[in-house]
mmCIF file of all heavy atoms in Angstrom:
data_model
loop_
_atom_site.group_PDB
_atom_site.id
_atom_site.type_symbol
_atom_site.label_atom_id
_atom_site.label_comp_id
_atom_site.label_asym_id
_atom_site.label_seq_id
_atom_site.Cartn_x
_atom_site.Cartn_y
_atom_site.Cartn_z
ATOM 1 N N GLU A 414 129.638 113.158 83.974
ATOM 2 C CA GLU A 414 129.832 113.920 85.217
ATOM 3 C C GLU A 414 128.530 113.990 86.019
ATOM 4 O O GLU A 414 127.449 114.205 85.469
ATOM 5 C CB GLU A 414 130.308 115.341 84.899
ATOM 6 C CG GLU A 414 130.603 116.190 86.139
ATOM 7 C CD GLU A 414 131.115 117.569 85.761
ATOM 8 O OE1 GLU A 414 130.301 118.411 85.341
ATOM 9 O OE2 GLU A 414 132.335 117.789 85.868
ATOM 10 N N THR A 415 128.636 113.829 87.339
ATOM 11 C CA THR A 415 127.493 113.884 88.253
ATOM 12 C C THR A 415 127.754 114.900 89.351
ATOM 13 O O THR A 415 128.860 115.460 89.470
ATOM 14 C CB THR A 415 127.245 112.508 88.895
ATOM 15 O OG1 THR A 415 128.368 112.186 89.737
ATOM 16 C CG2 THR A 415 127.077 111.424 87.834
ATOM 17 N N GLU A 416 126.731 115.102 90.175
ATOM 18 C CA GLU A 416 126.882 115.989 91.323
ATOM 19 C C GLU A 416 127.977 115.482 92.267
ATOM 20 O O GLU A 416 128.698 116.267 92.887
ATOM 21 C CB GLU A 416 125.556 116.101 92.080
ATOM 22 C CG GLU A 416 124.512 116.956 91.375
ATOM 23 C CD GLU A 416 124.972 118.394 91.209
ATOM 24 O OE1 GLU A 416 125.568 118.949 92.156
ATOM 25 O OE2 GLU A 416 124.750 118.965 90.128
ATOM 26 N N ALA A 417 128.092 114.163 92.370
ATOM 27 C CA ALA A 417 129.120 113.590 93.248
ATOM 28 C C ALA A 417 130.524 113.955 92.765
ATOM 29 O O ALA A 417 131.433 114.179 93.573
ATOM 30 C CB ALA A 417 128.960 112.072 93.318
ATOM 31 N N ASP A 418 130.699 114.020 91.448
ATOM 32 C CA ASP A 418 132.008 114.398 90.903
ATOM 33 C C ASP A 418 132.332 115.854 91.221
ATOM 34 O O ASP A 418 133.485 116.195 91.529
ATOM 35 C CB ASP A 418 132.028 114.177 89.389
ATOM 36 C CG ASP A 418 131.801 112.723 89.008
ATOM 37 O OD1 ASP A 418 132.460 111.853 89.598
ATOM 38 O OD2 ASP A 418 130.951 112.467 88.137
ATOM 39 N N LEU A 419 131.328 116.719 91.138
ATOM 40 C CA LEU A 419 131.548 118.125 91.466
ATOM 41 C C LEU A 419 131.868 118.298 92.949
ATOM 42 O O LEU A 419 132.723 119.101 93.326
ATOM 43 C CB LEU A 419 130.321 118.950 91.087
ATOM 44 C CG LEU A 419 130.019 119.035 89.578
ATOM 45 C CD1 LEU A 419 128.695 119.740 89.351
ATOM 46 C CD2 LEU A 419 131.141 119.760 88.844
ATOM 47 N N LYS A 420 131.169 117.535 93.790
ATOM 48 C CA LYS A 420 131.451 117.594 95.228
ATOM 49 C C LYS A 420 132.876 117.115 95.502
ATOM 50 O O LYS A 420 133.588 117.685 96.355
ATOM 51 C CB LYS A 420 130.457 116.730 95.992
ATOM 52 C CG LYS A 420 130.655 116.765 97.519
ATOM 53 C CD LYS A 420 129.624 115.926 98.231
ATOM 54 C CE LYS A 420 129.795 116.034 99.762
ATOM 55 N NZ LYS A 420 131.121 115.629 100.218
ATOM 56 N N ALA A 421 133.318 116.072 94.776
ATOM 57 C CA ALA A 421 134.680 115.567 94.962
ATOM 58 C C ALA A 421 135.709 116.626 94.582
ATOM 59 O O ALA A 421 136.770 116.728 95.202
ATOM 60 C CB ALA A 421 134.881 114.297 94.140
ATOM 61 N N LEU A 422 135.407 117.416 93.548
ATOM 62 C CA LEU A 422 136.308 118.504 93.148
ATOM 63 C C LEU A 422 136.464 119.492 94.296
ATOM 64 O O LEU A 422 137.586 119.889 94.658
ATOM 65 C CB LEU A 422 135.738 119.192 91.903
ATOM 66 C CG LEU A 422 136.584 120.258 91.184
ATOM 67 C CD1 LEU A 422 136.084 120.436 89.751
ATOM 68 C CD2 LEU A 422 136.575 121.603 91.889
ATOM 69 N N VAL A 423 135.335 119.895 94.875
ATOM 70 C CA VAL A 423 135.368 120.840 95.998
ATOM 71 C C VAL A 423 136.134 120.246 97.178
ATOM 72 O O VAL A 423 136.985 120.911 97.790
ATOM 73 C CB VAL A 423 133.930 121.220 96.417
ATOM 74 C CG1 VAL A 423 133.944 122.045 97.699
ATOM 75 C CG2 VAL A 423 133.235 121.982 95.293
ATOM 76 N N ASP A 424 135.853 118.985 97.491
ATOM 77 C CA ASP A 424 136.520 118.340 98.628
ATOM 78 C C ASP A 424 138.031 118.241 98.403
ATOM 79 O O ASP A 424 138.818 118.428 99.347
ATOM 80 C CB ASP A 424 135.939 116.937 98.847
ATOM 81 C CG ASP A 424 134.494 116.980 99.353
ATOM 82 O OD1 ASP A 424 134.067 118.046 99.833
ATOM 83 O OD2 ASP A 424 133.809 115.942 99.240
ATOM 84 N N LEU A 425 138.436 117.937 97.175
ATOM 85 C CA LEU A 425 139.866 117.828 96.881
ATOM 86 C C LEU A 425 140.563 119.169 97.090
ATOM 87 O O LEU A 425 141.619 119.245 97.735
ATOM 88 C CB LEU A 425 140.064 117.340 95.439
ATOM 89 C CG LEU A 425 141.513 117.301 94.935
ATOM 90 C CD1 LEU A 425 142.362 116.347 95.775
ATOM 91 C CD2 LEU A 425 141.554 116.907 93.449
ATOM 92 N N VAL A 426 139.979 120.238 96.556
ATOM 93 C CA VAL A 426 140.595 121.559 96.707
ATOM 94 C C VAL A 426 140.655 121.959 98.181
ATOM 95 O O VAL A 426 141.660 122.493 98.657
ATOM 96 C CB VAL A 426 139.825 122.610 95.888
ATOM 97 C CG1 VAL A 426 140.376 124.012 96.152
ATOM 98 C CG2 VAL A 426 139.915 122.297 94.393
ATOM 99 N N LYS A 427 139.590 121.693 98.903
ATOM 100 C CA LYS A 427 139.586 122.040 100.341
ATOM 101 C C LYS A 427 140.650 121.267 101.105
ATOM 102 O O LYS A 427 141.304 121.818 102.007
ATOM 103 C CB LYS A 427 138.201 121.776 100.934
ATOM 104 C CG LYS A 427 137.142 122.799 100.526
ATOM 105 C CD LYS A 427 135.806 122.494 101.199
ATOM 106 C CE LYS A 427 134.768 123.568 100.887
ATOM 107 N NZ LYS A 427 133.459 123.265 101.509
ATOM 108 N N SER A 428 140.845 120.001 100.743
ATOM 109 C CA SER A 428 141.875 119.219 101.435
ATOM 110 C C SER A 428 143.267 119.749 101.123
ATOM 111 O O SER A 428 144.145 119.785 101.990
ATOM 112 C CB SER A 428 141.764 117.741 101.054
ATOM 113 O OG SER A 428 142.153 117.519 99.712
ATOM 114 N N LEU A 429 143.490 120.169 99.877
ATOM 115 C CA LEU A 429 144.792 120.732 99.505
ATOM 116 C C LEU A 429 145.024 122.070 100.203
ATOM 117 O O LEU A 429 146.160 122.427 100.533
ATOM 118 C CB LEU A 429 144.873 120.901 97.988
ATOM 119 C CG LEU A 429 144.778 119.622 97.143
ATOM 120 C CD1 LEU A 429 144.778 119.954 95.653
ATOM 121 C CD2 LEU A 429 145.921 118.668 97.466
ATOM 122 N N ARG A 430 143.950 122.800 100.420
ATOM 123 C CA ARG A 430 144.063 124.092 101.096
ATOM 124 C C ARG A 430 144.596 123.944 102.513
ATOM 125 O O ARG A 430 145.274 124.839 103.032
ATOM 126 C CB ARG A 430 142.683 124.750 101.120
ATOM 127 C CG ARG A 430 142.561 125.989 101.986
ATOM 128 C CD ARG A 430 141.153 126.560 101.896
ATOM 129 N NE ARG A 430 140.952 127.634 102.857
ATOM 130 C CZ ARG A 430 140.364 127.489 104.043
ATOM 131 N NH1 ARG A 430 139.907 126.297 104.417
ATOM 132 N NH2 ARG A 430 140.226 128.519 104.856
ATOM 133 N N HIS A 431 144.337 122.813 103.148
ATOM 134 C CA HIS A 431 144.751 122.616 104.542
ATOM 135 C C HIS A 431 146.207 122.151 104.676
ATOM 136 O O HIS A 431 146.718 122.054 105.787
ATOM 137 C CB HIS A 431 143.830 121.601 105.222
ATOM 138 C CG HIS A 431 142.453 122.141 105.485
ATOM 139 N ND1 HIS A 431 142.214 123.185 106.346
ATOM 140 C CD2 HIS A 431 141.239 121.782 104.987
ATOM 141 C CE1 HIS A 431 140.919 123.459 106.372
ATOM 142 N NE2 HIS A 431 140.304 122.616 105.556
ATOM 143 N N ILE A 432 146.851 121.862 103.529
ATOM 144 C CA ILE A 432 148.254 121.442 103.602
ATOM 145 C C ILE A 432 149.106 122.622 104.059
ATOM 146 O O ILE A 432 149.012 123.719 103.516
ATOM 147 C CB ILE A 432 148.739 120.924 102.227
ATOM 148 C CG1 ILE A 432 147.979 119.663 101.834
ATOM 149 C CG2 ILE A 432 150.251 120.656 102.261
ATOM 150 C CD1 ILE A 432 148.299 119.174 100.441
ATOM 151 N N LYS A 433 149.932 122.388 105.038
ATOM 152 C CA LYS A 433 150.785 123.452 105.558
ATOM 153 C C LYS A 433 152.218 123.267 105.093
ATOM 154 O O LYS A 433 152.702 122.155 104.931
ATOM 155 C CB LYS A 433 150.736 123.474 107.089
ATOM 156 C CG LYS A 433 149.385 123.904 107.646
ATOM 157 C CD LYS A 433 149.430 124.035 109.165
ATOM 158 C CE LYS A 433 148.091 124.522 109.702
ATOM 159 N NZ LYS A 433 148.115 124.652 111.177
ATOM 160 N N LYS A 434 152.880 124.394 104.868
ATOM 161 C CA LYS A 434 154.291 124.360 104.505
ATOM 162 C C LYS A 434 155.123 124.011 105.727
ATOM 163 O O LYS A 434 154.631 123.989 106.849
ATOM 164 C CB LYS A 434 154.713 125.712 103.930
ATOM 165 C CG LYS A 434 153.965 126.087 102.646
ATOM 166 C CD LYS A 434 154.427 127.397 102.088
ATOM 167 C CE LYS A 434 153.992 128.553 102.949
ATOM 168 N NZ LYS A 434 154.323 129.859 102.350
ATOM 169 N N THR A 435 156.385 123.752 105.501
ATOM 170 C CA THR A 435 157.294 123.375 106.586
ATOM 171 C C THR A 435 157.282 124.417 107.694
ATOM 172 O O THR A 435 157.352 124.097 108.887
ATOM 173 C CB THR A 435 158.730 123.202 106.048
ATOM 174 O OG1 THR A 435 158.705 122.259 104.968
ATOM 175 C CG2 THR A 435 159.659 122.688 107.127
ATOM 176 N N ALA A 436 157.145 125.671 107.321
ATOM 177 C CA ALA A 436 157.149 126.752 108.317
ATOM 178 C C ALA A 436 155.835 126.830 109.086
ATOM 179 O O ALA A 436 155.703 127.627 110.004
ATOM 180 C CB ALA A 436 157.408 128.088 107.631
ATOM 181 N N GLY A 437 154.849 126.016 108.695
ATOM 182 C CA GLY A 437 153.585 125.986 109.420
ATOM 183 C C GLY A 437 152.489 126.820 108.813
ATOM 184 O O GLY A 437 151.336 126.737 109.220
ATOM 185 N N ARG A 438 152.814 127.623 107.802
ATOM 186 C CA ARG A 438 151.801 128.449 107.146
ATOM 187 C C ARG A 438 151.250 127.722 105.932
ATOM 188 O O ARG A 438 151.908 126.896 105.323
ATOM 189 C CB ARG A 438 152.407 129.787 106.720
ATOM 190 C CG ARG A 438 152.932 130.616 107.881
ATOM 191 C CD ARG A 438 153.555 131.900 107.398
ATOM 192 N NE ARG A 438 152.578 132.741 106.706
ATOM 193 C CZ ARG A 438 152.904 133.880 106.090
ATOM 194 N NH1 ARG A 438 154.170 134.283 106.069
ATOM 195 N NH2 ARG A 438 151.981 134.608 105.500
ATOM 196 N N ARG A 439 150.022 128.072 105.579
ATOM 197 C CA ARG A 439 149.403 127.461 104.410
ATOM 198 C C ARG A 439 149.847 128.168 103.136
ATOM 199 O O ARG A 439 150.041 129.383 103.119
ATOM 200 C CB ARG A 439 147.874 127.530 104.513
ATOM 201 C CG ARG A 439 147.274 126.665 105.613
ATOM 202 C CD ARG A 439 145.780 126.899 105.692
ATOM 203 N NE ARG A 439 145.168 126.111 106.760
ATOM 204 C CZ ARG A 439 143.922 126.276 107.185
ATOM 205 N NH1 ARG A 439 143.168 127.208 106.622
ATOM 206 N NH2 ARG A 439 143.436 125.509 108.141
ATOM 207 N N GLY A 440 149.958 127.389 102.065
ATOM 208 C CA GLY A 440 150.201 127.978 100.759
ATOM 209 C C GLY A 440 148.900 128.444 100.133
ATOM 210 O O GLY A 440 147.824 128.313 100.721
ATOM 211 N N LYS A 441 148.989 128.995 98.949
ATOM 212 C CA LYS A 441 147.803 129.477 98.233
ATOM 213 C C LYS A 441 147.489 128.533 97.071
ATOM 214 O O LYS A 441 148.390 128.015 96.415
ATOM 215 C CB LYS A 441 148.020 130.894 97.721
ATOM 216 C CG LYS A 441 148.135 131.928 98.835
ATOM 217 C CD LYS A 441 148.313 133.331 98.274
ATOM 218 C CE LYS A 441 148.413 134.363 99.400
ATOM 219 N NZ LYS A 441 148.610 135.739 98.868
ATOM 220 N N ILE A 442 146.198 128.345 96.837
ATOM 221 C CA ILE A 442 145.734 127.480 95.754
ATOM 222 C C ILE A 442 144.956 128.338 94.762
ATOM 223 O O ILE A 442 143.960 128.970 95.121
ATOM 224 C CB ILE A 442 144.813 126.343 96.275
ATOM 225 C CG1 ILE A 442 145.519 125.528 97.367
ATOM 226 C CG2 ILE A 442 144.342 125.473 95.126
ATOM 227 C CD1 ILE A 442 146.596 124.625 96.868
ATOM 228 N N ASN A 443 145.412 128.364 93.519
ATOM 229 C CA ASN A 443 144.668 129.030 92.448
ATOM 230 C C ASN A 443 143.950 127.957 91.637
ATOM 231 O O ASN A 443 144.593 127.062 91.071
ATOM 232 C CB ASN A 443 145.601 129.823 91.535
ATOM 233 C CG ASN A 443 146.120 131.083 92.209
ATOM 234 O OD1 ASN A 443 145.669 131.442 93.292
ATOM 235 N ND2 ASN A 443 147.071 131.740 91.584
ATOM 236 N N VAL A 444 142.635 128.033 91.590
ATOM 237 C CA VAL A 444 141.822 127.043 90.893
ATOM 238 C C VAL A 444 141.265 127.664 89.620
ATOM 239 O O VAL A 444 140.665 128.750 89.659
ATOM 240 C CB VAL A 444 140.656 126.561 91.785
ATOM 241 C CG1 VAL A 444 139.775 125.577 91.024
ATOM 242 C CG2 VAL A 444 141.198 125.922 93.057
ATOM 243 N N SER A 445 141.481 126.998 88.498
ATOM 244 C CA SER A 445 140.952 127.457 87.215
ATOM 245 C C SER A 445 140.019 126.395 86.659
ATOM 246 O O SER A 445 140.366 125.204 86.635
ATOM 247 C CB SER A 445 142.106 127.715 86.243
ATOM 248 O OG SER A 445 141.613 128.167 85.001
ATOM 249 N N VAL A 446 138.841 126.816 86.221
ATOM 250 C CA VAL A 446 137.815 125.882 85.732
ATOM 251 C C VAL A 446 137.353 126.331 84.353
ATOM 252 O O VAL A 446 137.136 127.528 84.109
ATOM 253 C CB VAL A 446 136.616 125.823 86.698
ATOM 254 C CG1 VAL A 446 135.490 124.980 86.113
ATOM 255 C CG2 VAL A 446 137.044 125.258 88.043
ATOM 256 N N ALA A 447 137.197 125.368 83.459
ATOM 257 C CA ALA A 447 136.664 125.649 82.124
ATOM 258 C C ALA A 447 135.668 124.555 81.747
ATOM 259 O O ALA A 447 135.733 123.433 82.254
ATOM 260 C CB ALA A 447 137.786 125.711 81.088
ATOM 261 N N THR A 448 134.762 124.890 80.849
ATOM 262 C CA THR A 448 133.795 123.914 80.355
ATOM 263 C C THR A 448 134.462 123.008 79.332
ATOM 264 O O THR A 448 135.159 123.485 78.425
ATOM 265 C CB THR A 448 132.603 124.628 79.697
ATOM 266 O OG1 THR A 448 132.030 125.532 80.649
ATOM 267 C CG2 THR A 448 131.548 123.626 79.255
ATOM 268 N N PHE A 449 134.263 121.706 79.485
ATOM 269 C CA PHE A 449 134.828 120.738 78.551
ATOM 270 C C PHE A 449 134.236 120.950 77.151
ATOM 271 O O PHE A 449 133.026 121.119 76.982
ATOM 272 C CB PHE A 449 134.534 119.319 79.028
ATOM 273 C CG PHE A 449 134.711 118.275 77.961
ATOM 274 C CD1 PHE A 449 135.952 118.025 77.407
ATOM 275 C CD2 PHE A 449 133.611 117.551 77.496
ATOM 276 C CE1 PHE A 449 136.107 117.081 76.406
ATOM 277 C CE2 PHE A 449 133.758 116.601 76.499
ATOM 278 C CZ PHE A 449 135.005 116.368 75.954
ATOM 279 N N ILE A 450 135.138 120.938 76.149
ATOM 280 C CA ILE A 450 134.731 121.099 74.749
ATOM 281 C C ILE A 450 135.163 119.853 73.977
ATOM 282 O O ILE A 450 136.365 119.588 73.832
ATOM 283 C CB ILE A 450 135.399 122.345 74.125
ATOM 284 C CG1 ILE A 450 135.020 123.599 74.913
ATOM 285 C CG2 ILE A 450 134.999 122.488 72.653
ATOM 286 C CD1 ILE A 450 135.865 124.803 74.579
ATOM 287 N N PRO A 451 134.221 119.042 73.491
ATOM 288 C CA PRO A 451 134.593 117.859 72.694
ATOM 289 C C PRO A 451 135.309 118.290 71.416
ATOM 290 O O PRO A 451 134.873 119.238 70.747
ATOM 291 C CB PRO A 451 133.243 117.203 72.386
ATOM 292 C CG PRO A 451 132.281 117.770 73.387
ATOM 293 C CD PRO A 451 132.767 119.149 73.666
ATOM 294 N N LYS A 452 136.385 117.609 71.087
ATOM 295 C CA LYS A 452 137.190 117.970 69.918
ATOM 296 C C LYS A 452 137.285 116.796 68.942
ATOM 297 O O LYS A 452 137.238 115.630 69.339
ATOM 298 C CB LYS A 452 138.596 118.389 70.363
ATOM 299 C CG LYS A 452 138.657 119.715 71.141
ATOM 300 C CD LYS A 452 138.336 120.909 70.260
ATOM 301 C CE LYS A 452 138.382 122.229 71.013
ATOM 302 N NZ LYS A 452 139.611 122.968 70.836
ATOM 303 N N PRO A 453 137.451 117.105 67.645
ATOM 304 C CA PRO A 453 137.608 116.053 66.636
ATOM 305 C C PRO A 453 138.836 115.191 66.896
ATOM 306 O O PRO A 453 139.813 115.626 67.515
ATOM 307 C CB PRO A 453 137.766 116.845 65.333
ATOM 308 C CG PRO A 453 137.141 118.169 65.606
ATOM 309 C CD PRO A 453 137.403 118.445 67.048
ATOM 310 N N HIS A 454 138.763 113.952 66.382
ATOM 311 C CA HIS A 454 139.876 112.992 66.455
ATOM 312 C C HIS A 454 140.216 112.610 67.892
ATOM 313 O O HIS A 454 141.361 112.292 68.200
ATOM 314 C CB HIS A 454 141.114 113.522 65.728
ATOM 315 C CG HIS A 454 140.867 113.840 64.285
ATOM 316 N ND1 HIS A 454 140.757 112.875 63.318
ATOM 317 C CD2 HIS A 454 140.669 115.024 63.657
ATOM 318 C CE1 HIS A 454 140.523 113.453 62.137
ATOM 319 N NE2 HIS A 454 140.461 114.766 62.325
ATOM 320 N N THR A 455 139.235 112.665 68.781
ATOM 321 C CA THR A 455 139.400 112.167 70.145
ATOM 322 C C THR A 455 138.269 111.179 70.422
ATOM 323 O O THR A 455 137.240 111.203 69.747
ATOM 324 C CB THR A 455 139.329 113.307 71.186
ATOM 325 O OG1 THR A 455 137.977 113.802 71.236
ATOM 326 C CG2 THR A 455 140.270 114.445 70.842
ATOM 327 N N PRO A 456 138.416 110.338 71.433
ATOM 328 C CA PRO A 456 137.305 109.442 71.782
ATOM 329 C C PRO A 456 136.039 110.190 72.180
ATOM 330 O O PRO A 456 134.942 109.627 72.105
ATOM 331 C CB PRO A 456 137.875 108.653 72.971
ATOM 332 C CG PRO A 456 139.352 108.662 72.762
ATOM 333 C CD PRO A 456 139.643 110.018 72.188
ATOM 334 N N PHE A 457 136.168 111.436 72.589
ATOM 335 C CA PHE A 457 134.999 112.207 73.002
ATOM 336 C C PHE A 457 134.419 113.056 71.870
ATOM 337 O O PHE A 457 133.586 113.935 72.112
ATOM 338 C CB PHE A 457 135.355 113.103 74.189
ATOM 339 C CG PHE A 457 135.575 112.353 75.487
ATOM 340 C CD1 PHE A 457 136.135 112.984 76.583
ATOM 341 C CD2 PHE A 457 135.226 111.009 75.617
ATOM 342 C CE1 PHE A 457 136.341 112.306 77.785
ATOM 343 C CE2 PHE A 457 135.433 110.319 76.800
ATOM 344 C CZ PHE A 457 135.993 110.963 77.886
ATOM 345 N N GLN A 458 134.847 112.789 70.623
ATOM 346 C CA GLN A 458 134.311 113.560 69.501
ATOM 347 C C GLN A 458 132.810 113.313 69.299
ATOM 348 O O GLN A 458 132.129 114.101 68.631
ATOM 349 C CB GLN A 458 135.069 113.244 68.220
ATOM 350 C CG GLN A 458 134.933 111.819 67.723
ATOM 351 C CD GLN A 458 135.779 111.548 66.483
ATOM 352 O OE1 GLN A 458 136.410 112.443 65.910
ATOM 353 N NE2 GLN A 458 135.802 110.297 66.036
#
Side-chain angles (χ1 to χ4, degrees):
E414 183 178 76
T415 66
E416 286 298 319
D418 299 312
L419 294 173
K420 182 178 183 302
L422 187 160
V423 172
D424 291 343
L425 174 61
V426 174
K427 286 182 176 179
S428 70
L429 298 176
R430 170 179 172 262
H431 288 295
I432 295 174
K433 292 185 178 180
K434 298 182 290 186
T435 305
R438 299 178 62 186
R439 292 175 181 169
K441 293 182 179 179
I442 304 287
N443 287 352
V444 177
S445 180
V446 174
T448 304
F449 163 64
I450 301 167
K452 291 291 180 99
H454 302 284
T455 69
F457 289 168
Q458 65 183 355

